[in-house]
Amino acid sequence: MEVVRTDAYHEHMAPHASVLTLHCPDSSGIVADVATWIGSGGGNIVDAGETRDAEHGLFVQRVEFTHDDDLDTLRTSFAPLGERRRMTWAITAQEEVSRLAVLVTKDGHCLYDLLGRCATGDLPAAIEVVVSNREDLAEAAGRFGVPFRHLAVEGDGPEARAAQEAEVRAAVRDVDPHLVVLARYMRVLTPDFVDEFDGRTINIHHSFLPAFVGANAYRQAWERGVKLIGATSHYVTSGLDEGPIIAQDVTQVTHADTPASMARRGRDLETLVLSRAVRAHLEHRVIAYRGRTVVFD
Amino acid sequence: MEVVRTDAYHEHMAPHASVLTLHCPDSSGIVADVATWIGSGGGNIVDAGETRDAEHGLFVQRVEFTHDDDLDTLRTSFAPLGERRRMTWAITAQEEVSRLAVLVTKDGHCLYDLLGRCATGDLPAAIEVVVSNREDLAEAAGRFGVPFRHLAVEGDGPEARAAQEAEVRAAVRDVDPHLVVLARYMRVLTPDFVDEFDGRTINIHHSFLPAFVGANAYRQAWERGVKLIGATSHYVTSGLDEGPIIAQDVTQVTHADTPASMARRGRDLETLVLSRAVRAHLEHRVIAYRGRTVVFD
Amino acid sequence: MEVVRTDAYHEHMAPHASVLTLHCPDSSGIVADVATWIGSGGGNIVDAGETRDAEHGLFVQRVEFTHDDDLDTLRTSFAPLGERRRMTWAITAQEEVSRLAVLVTKDGHCLYDLLGRCATGDLPAAIEVVVSNREDLAEAAGRFGVPFRHLAVEGDGPEARAAQEAEVRAAVRDVDPHLVVLARYMRVLTPDFVDEFDGRTINIHHSFLPAFVGANAYRQAWERGVKLIGATSHYVTSGLDEGPIIAQDVTQVTHADTPASMARRGRDLETLVLSRAVRAHLEHRVIAYRGRTVVFD
Amino acid sequence: MEVVRTDAYHEHMAPHASVLTLHCPDSSGIVADVATWIGSGGGNIVDAGETRDAEHGLFVQRVEFTHDDDLDTLRTSFAPLGERRRMTWAITAQEEVSRLAVLVTKDGHCLYDLLGRCATGDLPAAIEVVVSNREDLAEAAGRFGVPFRHLAVEGDGPEARAAQEAEVRAAVRDVDPHLVVLARYMRVLTPDFVDEFDGRTINIHHSFLPAFVGANAYRQAWERGVKLIGATSHYVTSGLDEGPIIAQDVTQVTHADTPASMARRGRDLETLVLSRAVRAHLEHRVIAYRGRTVVFD
């Protein structure tokens, strides 16, 4: 089975780099401690970003660095510093090509956008599987040689829905994805699903959250008479459309717009905002904590 | 008492023009009927805008036209057509200088912006009175020779609040305003106030409505972790922050922003969005119906 | 040979409608004349837009209307009115699926975007051929079953270039396109090419024109130290990057951006702005005259 | 003579902080060197920003820090490090209230905006003098108690112009300004003027530079048929509209706009963009080098 792989130059990350992300109670000397640790292992800092969340008294940092050790060695070496500073931290290798699982229903604009970005190397990723509760987008996946799994809800009631979700979950688990992308997937996921892929499931919602939660967001927006419509990409949590926001954008509408024309304009927003969030996640630029995100650009 | 008056060239409206605004059940021939009526009185159309609201089956139109009649004559002449087409309509003279009453509390950015725009002639208006529940902005009004009425709530409880609002209402009524502007006025108005100046009271709210209704909108936005903040100008109705939206805009924020820095960035949004709504209202470009507005640009 | 065809609901245009576009010296009664002509043939106006260019003393109009006649009959019937009003005018059938010829070199983001939009029905069009001076994007076209013509410049000098352009021209002519799209085609076209497809060739330029004409626009922008980068879609004329502008947009950059990261951010701008221009052209919403365009939204 | 002084809380800068800004050839250890120097003097870093300009091989940094020394002591102490690293550097006290000299001609929107921002404390500054070649804006300055100097060009020819500029220069010099703001001043300054206030003179230009240099930028924009208009704030150098750009923004226009309506829309852009640049300069957030700026937000 051919899978889309990029051979394009990966513009953003240094080759063979790892990324340390952390947040911890703010105090002095953290930056120096981290820099000293990297230097002591013979590593070099390639890129660094840091911020303070004064409201929560937290320090948040992302450090991209090159080194000669394997990940386990790095993690073992870093653990004492992490413990001493009471950090929530992760050290991750930068994948050359990250594995994506994409869930869709019937609207293909986000899926085609992601397929194109993977094909051109704009995103450093390959879509390993497209899973859907409908058949509509089989052709889209097929054009790019990506396996398509049609897993419909068979019958009514909670059991039928649970059975379908279990199949979806298995299909996703099979490809061991770095990221699960809900690219206009129109079914609500259970907490079990959310937990299994916690911190690596991104949804695109067709409104400027927290306005217009749930279905029919464009109609809701039209009825409220807003002058801008939006799209929001966020990590999926068990609360509907309540997860930490990664990216948002808006575009103007006028009184001449209908719910249908808003939906058309909104498609461009959705693809843009979703792809920004996917890129930021794959480059380990997003640090989520306490319902918020820091995104180092 | 000197009052700010503009002598600047009024760029947007034709001199001695009147404006007909209307909405009615959609059917064919309305444009022709209106044009025929204007022509039959010897008038000329200077500018026209129209739109259809297919969801509600309505036709909405604004026609700016020159003529030789007085307003009463025009209204009498138009009434039969309005009735036949079941229109909600108004014919208004374009004021050279409209009278504004501005209500404020302590934040001066919107007030200074409006004072400056009236002084340069950017807005075709004069602020006749500034009313406040606090004294902070007396100097601002004074610099421009505008009367300032400090009407504090004396004591606690609903009676004290009602007494203060009655005074505010009288102070506003005294200047017979074309428009009442709530330029960061931090008290909720009663339905009586809203009714008296219905359709001519505009508020600026410091969020992208319908997100973050009520007080502390920037803190609410910070806590939700949004990546854009907004401002919304709307007609005041008895529902808090629920009136028809006239103008909205947003600006980017990042994880480095605090509620305080969001508030600072938001000030520029608030002044811009409020002044856009005031301008549109004064030029009779806003037609509000069923909780929405059409704004002819 | 399979060609991408949309079966999606075409949201913007009425079925079986035609579009009249015109510009002429401004005078009174044009709207009524046009409406009368449409009515006299039993047609109905579906959508209309008009504007006045006071600087040039011109009236510009677009009328979308349904009718029972064929195009030749309509044109013959309209000609006397067009002549009397000294109009430059066109009556065009709204195609259900317009034919596109797309020219590319090596960057695939605009091509993939157009292929995806045609496949989902977002654009009411089919790409009939992709022509390139390089082979890089053969796979992209192939995924969607679109013929790909690799027509390289063989040898040096003006004759080699002229021979290649002649082949390109023939390949384009073969599919009788409604629109030729230069989707990051990196060769300058001769006046002969421009003339043959005059008024139906659209280019995407990677800057906010008229700033940064020609090659390396992102490097030029970086060197000037601009805080926003842009993209511009325009009709192609014989002057380099000088044709009438159809759509433009910008996005923020910071001091941390390099020419390479600007180019990456710019790709999203280029795809969006190009697709907006293509859509507007295909729906006959663009009227170009005197180096400018009116775009009825 | 009363002068506008702010007593508002200064939201952005720590009290009694100084700011070190520098750029130098990039090499490792600069951040540590600077941090060590601050710590050795008993200071604390309040805020820091840094970036690398890989194209020029430069490192650029801004460090805001508290300390107990006077500026002369700090500068003497820092000089050896600065020399060793071949830095271009400055250490500046953060003024509580910076002194501005504002040059204007006849358009008052930027002047009123700056006066209002100083009065509310939005900008940590006081306008010490308004200088103009015309009388139009005397009233504006007078409302805020700011001295107004009307210095007209008396007669024709280069000598008359030179004499007027000498007077303007003296009037500016008299108030020893931290920043000279050209708030729609319509005369070109000589290199002598530019040199005297080099690095502390900011202009607002009414276009998206480098497009539409010089006078009548809105007419130029209208004639080119652009779909967005812009404004640019930049340091003044001897090349017309060629100095390093500090801030830019744009807004949409349509075919319905005229040069006059573009100018009206542009006023809001001009005031916003100019005030952003003034704020960034006063907070020592702008580092200019090689025709570009780094602006630490």
Side-chain angles (χ1 to χ4, degrees):
Chain A
M1 172 56 68
E2 181 209 16
V3 171
V4 184
R5 298 227 176 253
T6 173
D7 55 0
Y9 172 65
H10 179 197
E11 296 142 325
H12 247 195
M13 298 274 309
H16 314 298
S18 290
V19 180
L20 165 66
T21 53
L22 63 90
H23 59 94
C24 63
D26 194 12
S27 63
S28 62
I30 302 172
V31 171
D33 278 4
V34 169
T36 300
W37 172 75
I38 290 171
S40 70
N44 280 302
I45 295 177
V46 175
D47 191 16
E50 64 212 46
T51 195
R52 282 175 171 76
D53 175 341
E55 301 284 324
H56 293 129
L58 293 176
F59 174 82
V60 185
Q61 192 179 28
R62 175 190 187 273
V63 187
E64 188 180 328
F65 61 107
T66 56
H67 57 86
D68 295 325
D69 295 318
D70 60 42
L71 277 184
D72 283 344
T73 307
L74 284 174
R75 287 167 182 156
T76 304
S77 160
F78 187 77
L81 173 56
E83 186 158 357
R84 181 155 48 85
R85 292 289 194 172
R86 289 186 288 149
M87 292 174 177
T88 302
W89 61 274
I91 296 176
T92 323
Q94 173 59 21
E95 302 294 321
E96 278 186 55
V97 183
S98 296
R99 290 184 303 277
L100 306 185
V102 181
L103 275 60
V104 300
T105 294
K106 63 180 173 53
D107 290 329
H109 52 288
C110 286
L111 176 60
Y112 269 114
D113 183 70
L114 292 170
L115 287 164
R117 287 176 190 272
C118 290
T120 61
D122 178 75
L123 283 177
I127 300 177
E128 301 288 339
V129 68
V130 174
V131 181
S132 181
N133 55 322
R134 294 179 46 149
E135 283 189 293
D136 308 60
L137 295 172
E139 187 180 29
R143 291 185 193 283
F144 289 78
V146 174
F148 181 85
R149 302 287 304 275
H150 174 214
L151 300 169
V153 179
E154 306 283 357
D156 288 328
E159 278 139 42
R161 291 196 294 273
Q164 187 258 4
E165 194 191 83
E167 288 187 286
V168 171
R169 218 167 136 189
V172 170
R173 191 186 300 133
D174 277 354
V175 301
D176 186 22
H178 294 96
L179 182 64
V180 182
V181 184
L182 309 188
R184 306 292 283 137
Y185 184 61
M186 305 305 278
R187 302 197 64 77
V188 176
L189 298 171
T190 65
D192 283 349
F193 189 107
V194 171
D195 286 349
E196 179 166 351
F197 303 103
D198 183 39
R200 51 181 171 133
T201 307
I202 289 179
N203 183 44
I204 180 71
H205 183 73
H206 53 310
S207 83
F208 182 83
L209 288 176
F212 311 128
V213 168
N216 292 322
Y218 292 120
R219 176 156 290 278
Q220 291 181 60
W222 185 87
E223 285 175 357
R224 182 61 186 91
V226 293
K227 302 302 185 189
L228 299 164
I229 56 169
T232 304
S233 191
H234 61 92
Y235 285 116
V236 174
T237 60
S238 48
L240 181 62
D241 299 330
E242 289 184 355
I245 293 169
I246 306 168
Q248 294 188 293
D249 214 338
V250 297
T251 197
Q252 285 185 21
V253 292
T254 75
H255 55 256
D257 276 288
T258 60
S261 70
M262 284 182 174
R264 182 180 59 73
R265 291 182 203 281
R267 287 199 297 260
D268 286 349
L269 276 180
E270 294 163 24
T271 54
L272 264 184
V273 168
L274 179 59
S275 67
R276 277 182 206 153
V278 168
R279 180 192 309 281
H281 178 91
L282 295 181
E283 296 182 348
H284 308 289
R285 297 185 179 281
V286 190
I287 300 177
Y289 68 98
R290 303 200 185 185
R292 324 179 74 238
T293 67
V294 166
V295 182
F296 290 109
D297 192 20
Chain B
M1 173 57 66
E2 180 209 16
V3 170
V4 184
R5 296 231 177 251
T6 174
D7 53 1
Y9 172 64
H10 179 197
E11 295 142 325
H12 247 192
M13 297 276 306
H16 314 299
S18 290
V19 180
L20 166 66
T21 54
L22 64 89
H23 59 96
C24 63
D26 194 12
S27 63
S28 63
I30 303 173
V31 171
D33 277 4
V34 169
T36 301
W37 172 76
I38 290 171
S40 70
N44 281 301
I45 294 178
V46 175
D47 191 15
E50 64 213 46
T51 195
R52 281 176 171 78
D53 175 342
E55 300 285 325
H56 293 131
L58 293 176
F59 174 82
V60 185
Q61 190 179 29
R62 174 189 186 274
V63 186
E64 188 180 326
F65 61 107
T66 56
H67 58 87
D68 296 324
D69 295 317
D70 61 42
L71 279 182
D72 283 344
T73 307
L74 285 174
R75 287 166 182 157
T76 304
S77 159
F78 188 77
L81 173 55
E83 184 157 1
R84 181 155 49 85
R85 291 288 193 171
R86 289 185 291 147
M87 293 176 178
T88 302
W89 61 274
I91 296 176
T92 324
Q94 173 59 20
E95 300 295 321
E96 279 187 52
V97 183
S98 296
R99 288 184 306 279
L100 307 185
V102 181
L103 275 59
V104 298
T105 294
K106 65 183 171 54
D107 289 328
H109 52 287
C110 285
L111 176 59
Y112 269 114
D113 184 69
L114 292 171
L115 287 164
R117 287 177 191 271
C118 290
T120 60
D122 178 74
L123 283 178
I127 300 177
E128 301 287 339
V129 68
V130 175
V131 180
S132 182
N133 56 323
R134 294 179 47 148
E135 284 189 294
D136 307 58
L137 295 173
E139 188 180 30
R143 291 185 193 282
F144 289 77
V146 174
F148 182 85
R149 302 286 304 276
H150 174 215
L151 300 169
V153 179
E154 307 281 359
D156 288 328
E159 280 140 41
R161 292 196 295 273
Q164 187 256 6
E165 194 189 85
E167 288 187 286
V168 171
R169 217 167 136 188
V172 170
R173 190 186 299 131
D174 278 355
V175 301
D176 186 22
H178 294 96
L179 181 65
V180 182
V181 184
L182 309 188
R184 305 293 283 135
Y185 184 61
M186 305 305 279
R187 302 199 63 78
V188 175
L189 299 171
T190 65
D192 283 349
F193 190 107
V194 171
D195 286 349
E196 178 165 353
F197 304 103
D198 184 38
R200 53 181 170 133
T201 306
I202 289 179
N203 183 43
I204 180 71
H205 183 72
H206 53 311
S207 82
F208 181 83
L209 288 175
F212 311 129
V213 167
N216 292 322
Y218 292 120
R219 175 157 290 279
Q220 291 181 60
W222 185 87
E223 286 176 356
R224 182 62 186 89
V226 294
K227 302 302 186 188
L228 298 164
I229 56 170
T232 304
S233 192
H234 61 93
Y235 284 115
V236 175
T237 60
S238 50
L240 180 64
D241 300 330
E242 289 184 357
I245 293 169
I246 307 168
Q248 294 189 294
D249 214 338
V250 297
T251 196
Q252 285 185 21
V253 291
T254 75
H255 55 255
D257 276 287
T258 60
S261 70
M262 285 181 173
R264 181 180 60 70
R265 291 184 204 279
R267 288 199 297 261
D268 286 348
L269 276 180
E270 294 163 24
T271 54
L272 264 183
V273 169
L274 178 58
S275 67
R276 278 183 207 153
V278 168
R279 180 192 309 281
H281 178 90
L282 295 181
E283 295 181 350
H284 307 290
R285 297 185 181 280
V286 191
I287 300 177
Y289 68 97
R290 303 202 186 181
R292 323 179 74 241
T293 66
V294 166
V295 182
F296 290 108
D297 193 19
Chain C
M1 173 56 68
E2 181 209 16
V3 170
V4 185
R5 296 230 177 251
T6 175
D7 54 0
Y9 172 65
H10 179 198
E11 294 143 325
H12 247 192
M13 297 277 307
H16 314 299
S18 291
V19 181
L20 165 66
T21 52
L22 64 90
H23 59 96
C24 63
D26 194 12
S27 63
S28 62
I30 302 172
V31 171
D33 279 4
V34 169
T36 301
W37 172 76
I38 290 171
S40 70
N44 280 302
I45 293 178
V46 175
D47 190 16
E50 63 212 47
T51 195
R52 282 176 171 77
D53 175 342
E55 301 284 324
H56 293 130
L58 294 175
F59 174 82
V60 185
Q61 191 179 27
R62 174 190 187 274
V63 186
E64 187 180 328
F65 61 107
T66 55
H67 58 87
D68 296 323
D69 295 318
D70 61 41
L71 279 182
D72 283 344
T73 307
L74 285 174
R75 287 168 182 155
T76 304
S77 159
F78 187 76
L81 173 54
E83 184 158 0
R84 180 156 49 85
R85 292 289 194 172
R86 288 186 289 146
M87 293 174 178
T88 302
W89 61 275
I91 295 176
T92 324
Q94 174 59 20
E95 301 295 321
E96 279 187 54
V97 182
S98 296
R99 289 184 305 278
L100 306 185
V102 180
L103 276 59
V104 299
T105 294
K106 65 182 170 57
D107 290 328
H109 52 287
C110 286
L111 175 59
Y112 269 113
D113 183 70
L114 292 170
L115 287 163
R117 288 177 190 272
C118 290
T120 61
D122 178 75
L123 283 178
I127 300 177
E128 302 287 340
V129 69
V130 175
V131 180
S132 181
N133 56 321
R134 294 179 47 148
E135 283 189 294
D136 308 60
L137 296 172
E139 187 179 30
R143 291 185 193 284
F144 289 78
V146 174
F148 182 84
R149 302 287 303 276
H150 174 215
L151 300 169
V153 179
E154 308 281 359
D156 289 327
E159 278 139 41
R161 291 195 295 275
Q164 187 257 4
E165 195 189 83
E167 288 186 286
V168 171
R169 219 167 135 187
V172 170
R173 190 186 299 133
D174 277 355
V175 300
D176 187 20
H178 294 97
L179 181 64
V180 181
V181 184
L182 309 188
R184 306 292 283 139
Y185 184 61
M186 306 305 278
R187 303 198 63 78
V188 176
L189 299 170
T190 64
D192 283 349
F193 190 108
V194 171
D195 285 350
E196 178 166 353
F197 304 103
D198 184 38
R200 52 180 172 134
T201 306
I202 289 179
N203 184 43
I204 179 70
H205 183 73
H206 53 309
S207 82
F208 181 83
L209 288 176
F212 311 128
V213 167
N216 292 322
Y218 292 121
R219 175 157 290 277
Q220 291 181 59
W222 186 87
E223 285 176 356
R224 182 62 186 90
V226 293
K227 303 301 187 189
L228 300 164
I229 55 169
T232 304
S233 192
H234 61 93
Y235 284 115
V236 174
T237 60
S238 49
L240 180 63
D241 299 329
E242 290 185 355
I245 293 169
I246 306 168
Q248 295 189 293
D249 213 338
V250 297
T251 197
Q252 284 185 21
V253 292
T254 74
H255 55 256
D257 276 288
T258 60
S261 70
M262 285 182 174
R264 181 180 60 73
R265 291 183 203 280
R267 287 199 295 260
D268 286 349
L269 277 180
E270 293 162 26
T271 54
L272 265 183
V273 168
L274 178 58
S275 67
R276 278 183 207 153
V278 168
R279 180 192 309 283
H281 178 90
L282 294 181
E283 295 181 351
H284 307 290
R285 297 186 180 281
V286 191
I287 301 176
Y289 68 96
R290 301 203 186 182
R292 324 179 73 239
T293 67
V294 166
V295 182
F296 290 109
D297 193 18
Chain D
M1 174 55 68
E2 181 209 15
V3 171
V4 184
R5 297 229 176 253
T6 174
D7 55 359
Y9 172 65
H10 179 198
E11 296 142 325
H12 246 194
M13 296 276 306
H16 314 300
S18 290
V19 180
L20 166 65
T21 53
L22 64 90
H23 59 95
C24 62
D26 193 11
S27 62
S28 63
I30 302 172
V31 171
D33 278 3
V34 169
T36 300
W37 173 76
I38 290 171
S40 70
N44 281 302
I45 294 177
V46 175
D47 191 15
E50 64 214 45
T51 195
R52 281 176 171 77
D53 175 342
E55 301 284 324
H56 293 129
L58 293 176
F59 174 82
V60 185
Q61 191 179 27
R62 174 189 187 273
V63 187
E64 188 180 327
F65 61 107
T66 56
H67 57 86
D68 295 326
D69 295 318
D70 61 42
L71 277 183
D72 283 344
T73 306
L74 284 175
R75 286 166 182 157
T76 303
S77 161
F78 187 77
L81 174 55
E83 185 158 358
R84 181 155 49 85
R85 292 287 194 172
R86 289 186 290 148
M87 292 174 178
T88 302
W89 60 274
I91 296 176
T92 323
Q94 173 58 21
E95 301 294 321
E96 278 187 53
V97 183
S98 296
R99 290 184 303 278
L100 305 185
V102 180
L103 275 59
V104 299
T105 294
K106 65 182 171 51
D107 290 329
H109 52 288
C110 286
L111 176 59
Y112 269 113
D113 183 70
L114 292 170
L115 287 163
R117 287 177 190 271
C118 289
T120 61
D122 178 75
L123 283 177
I127 300 177
E128 301 287 339
V129 68
V130 174
V131 181
S132 181
N133 56 321
R134 294 179 45 150
E135 283 188 295
D136 308 57
L137 295 171
E139 187 180 32
R143 291 185 193 282
F144 289 77
V146 174
F148 182 84
R149 301 286 304 277
H150 175 215
L151 300 169
V153 179
E154 306 283 358
D156 288 328
E159 279 140 42
R161 292 196 295 274
Q164 188 257 4
E165 194 190 83
E167 289 187 285
V168 172
R169 217 167 137 188
V172 170
R173 191 186 299 134
D174 277 354
V175 301
D176 187 21
H178 293 96
L179 181 63
V180 181
V181 184
L182 309 188
R184 305 291 285 136
Y185 184 61
M186 306 305 279
R187 302 197 65 77
V188 176
L189 298 171
T190 65
D192 284 349
F193 189 107
V194 171
D195 286 349
E196 179 166 352
F197 304 103
D198 183 38
R200 52 180 171 136
T201 307
I202 289 178
N203 184 44
I204 180 71
H205 184 73
H206 53 310
S207 84
F208 182 82
L209 287 176
F212 311 129
V213 167
N216 292 322
Y218 291 120
R219 177 157 288 280
Q220 291 181 61
W222 185 87
E223 285 176 356
R224 182 61 186 89
V226 292
K227 302 302 185 187
L228 299 164
I229 56 168
T232 304
S233 191
H234 61 92
Y235 285 115
V236 174
T237 60
S238 49
L240 180 63
D241 299 329
E242 290 184 356
I245 293 169
I246 306 168
Q248 294 189 293
D249 215 338
V250 297
T251 197
Q252 285 184 19
V253 292
T254 74
H255 55 255
D257 276 288
T258 60
S261 70
M262 285 182 174
R264 182 180 59 72
R265 291 183 202 278
R267 287 199 297 261
D268 286 349
L269 276 181
E270 294 164 24
T271 55
L272 264 183
V273 168
L274 179 58
S275 67
R276 278 183 207 153
V278 168
R279 180 192 309 281
H281 178 91
L282 294 182
E283 295 181 349
H284 308 290
R285 296 185 181 280
V286 191
I287 300 177
Y289 68 97
R290 302 201 187 182
R292 323 179 74 239
T293 67
V294 166
V295 182
F296 290 109
D297 192 20

